[in-house]
């Protein structure tokens, strides 16, 4: 596995075992800087587990993960977050009673709010920071075409709008690479297109690299090149979606697990 400048992320022979079960079983792959890389594969292939290991949510059993040439294996999510590596999470239940704007303003940044010095002497600075944070949140809402939701409670917006808000959280910091796990699941077509457009714009205009897990092949086809296909914990094939769809091993892997209609490759 090479460590050329093109590769933002290098995953080397990664294993994650749960007891005797090998959820990730020798996965090796590279994510190119500036790419929108698709990660597909049948249910249980180990995609989410791989994401969780890369993003520091789970520690690998063995194997290495590098970001920009630096070994980041096993670093906790908040450390990776400050390096610009983000994995989106569902908006936690306790944030449902906060507005969409407040949810964005909650994303940890370099706020100096909590220190004792600031509590005594820094009220003015805190107010300035809060204003800046609010302006940033409003800018993000506008980028995502959901300005009209700014004052709505996060618990009251639709599932698709929540996905956009989750994506919005990655825009409150200087993200370099964002891992999206099934952002399109259960989202209607119109919002799915809005999400896809936001991903494309973040990629083109702000240089975000994305890794996208998705079962919807139209979504993958519209956004992703290359596409990596996993099965049984390792990488089966990598290429354009057309190449992946024509790959015998990929077709077999999907057939072997009883394919769902929406997963159908080669269709
Ligand atoms: N915490 C865990 N403990 C035990 N087994 C787990 C755990 N997490 C995942 N697994 C198992 O590891 C395998 C891979 O799961 P994973 O969620 O990574 O698959 P996936 O490719 O994301 O599937 P899907 O497309 O259905 O989301 C599955 O068989 C799953 O049951
Ligand atoms: Mg999954």
């Amino acid at each position: 596995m090479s460590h050329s400048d093109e590769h933002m992320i290098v995953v080397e022979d990664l294993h994650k075992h749960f007891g005797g079960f090998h959820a990730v079983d020798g996965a090796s792959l590279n994510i190119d800087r500036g790419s929108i890389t698709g990660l597909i594969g049948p249910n249980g292939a180990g995609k989410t587990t791989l994401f969780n290991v890369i993003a520091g949510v789970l520690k690998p059993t063995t194997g290495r993960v590098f970001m920009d040439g630096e070994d980041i294996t096993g670093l906790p999510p908040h450390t990776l977050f400050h390096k610009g590596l983000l994995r989106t999470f569902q908006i936690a239940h306790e944030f449902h009673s906060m507005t969409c704007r407040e949810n964005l303003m909650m994303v940890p940044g370099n706020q100096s709010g909590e220190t004792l010095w600031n509590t005594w002497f820094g009220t003015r600075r805190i107010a300035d920071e809060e204003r800046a944070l609010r302006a940033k949140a409003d800018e993000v809402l506008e980028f995502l075409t959901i300005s009209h939701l700014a004052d709505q409670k996060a618990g009251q917006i639709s599932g698709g709008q929540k996905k956009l808000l989750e994506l919005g959280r990655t825009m409150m910091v200087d993200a370099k690479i964002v891992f999206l796990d099934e952002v399109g699941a259960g989202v209607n077509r119109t919002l799915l297109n809005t999400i896809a457009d936001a991903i494309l714009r973040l990629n083109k205009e702000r240089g975000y690299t994305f890794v996208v897990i998705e079962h919807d092949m139209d979504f993958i086809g519209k956004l992703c090149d290359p596409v990596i296909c996993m099965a049984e914990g390792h990488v089966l094939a990598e290429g354009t979606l057309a190449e992946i769809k024509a790959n015998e091993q990929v077709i077999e892997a999907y057939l072997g697990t009883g394919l769902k209609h929406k997963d159908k490759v080669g269709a």
Side-chain angles (χ1 to χ4, degrees):
M1 200 71 34
S2 66
H3 287 243
S4 82
D5 282 349
E6 264 170 73
H7 303 323
M8 177 173 273
I9 298 287
V10 174
V11 174
E12 285 182 356
D13 195 24
L14 207 66
H15 292 255
K16 178 64 188 176
H17 302 171
F18 295 111
F21 184 78
H22 297 192
V24 176
D25 196 17
S28 296
L29 55 102
N30 302 322
I31 306 299
D32 284 350
R33 195 180 311 286
S35 70
I36 306 178
T37 299
L39 184 60
I40 68 166
N43 297 116
K47 306 180 295 295
T48 298
T49 308
L50 177 74
F51 263 32
N52 284 336
V53 172
I54 294 174
V57 179
L58 294 171
K59 294 224 185 298
T61 307
T62 58
R64 293 264 157 251
V65 182
F66 297 87
M67 177 179 181
D68 292 328
E70 180 193 354
D71 190 341
I72 58 162
T73 318
L75 292 181
H78 62 90
T79 305
L80 296 172
F81 184 92
H82 287 291
K83 291 182 187 295
L85 187 156
L86 279 70
R87 179 204 191 300
T88 58
F89 284 100
Q90 286 192 346
I91 292 167
H93 198 73
E94 54 268 33
F95 293 135
H96 281 189
S97 60
M98 291 178 10
T99 68
C100 291
R101 182 191 288 115
E102 286 164 349
N103 263 280
L104 292 177
M105 291 175 68
M106 284 294 290
V107 175
N110 292 318
Q111 293 145 265
S112 41
E114 304 301 292
T115 68
L116 185 62
W117 178 266
N118 276 300
T119 319
W120 288 358
F121 304 105
T123 15
R124 167 99 168 268
R125 189 157 137 223
I126 293 168
D128 284 349
E129 280 181 6
E130 186 155 336
R131 249 192 304 281
L133 206 55
R134 190 186 164 93
K136 175 92 184 159
D138 284 345
E139 187 192 308
V140 167
L141 290 166
E142 192 178 334
F143 184 96
L144 296 172
T145 71
I146 50 172
S147 296
H148 56 290
L149 300 179
D151 296 311
Q152 288 220 28
K153 298 230 189 309
Q156 287 163 355
I157 62 178
S158 77
Q161 291 168 335
K162 277 200 191 104
K163 299 284 181 186
L164 274 172
L165 195 58
E166 285 165 28
L167 191 58
R169 291 159 67 94
T170 71
M171 298 171 62
M172 292 299 293
V173 292
D174 291 324
K176 288 186 188 158
I177 180 162
V178 179
F179 291 80
L180 302 174
D181 193 350
E182 300 198 35
V183 278
V187 172
N188 73 43
R189 273 287 139 196
T190 313
L191 264 176
L192 195 59
N193 285 331
T194 308
I195 292 171
D197 289 345
I199 292 171
L200 282 171
R201 281 185 61 199
L202 286 169
N203 175 253
K204 294 218 156 49
E205 296 172 16
R206 308 210 179 172
Y208 278 36
T209 300
F210 281 99
V211 190
V212 177
I213 295 179
E214 195 50 74
H215 286 288
D216 184 325
M217 292 301 151
D218 292 337
F219 189 80
I220 290 281
K222 181 173 175 186
L223 290 178
C224 301
D225 185 20
V227 176
I228 295 172
C229 180
M230 275 183 86
E232 295 176 353
H234 60 269
V235 173
L236 266 193
E238 178 180 337
T240 63
L241 183 60
E243 285 164 354
I244 292 289
K245 281 179 168 182
N247 184 296
E248 287 292 331
Q249 278 180 297
V250 171
I251 294 165
E252 253 171 55
Y254 272 91
L255 290 173
T257 57
L259 81 178
K260 292 196 287 187
H261 176 69
K262 62 175 182 165
D263 275 356
K264 205 182 285 177
V265 289

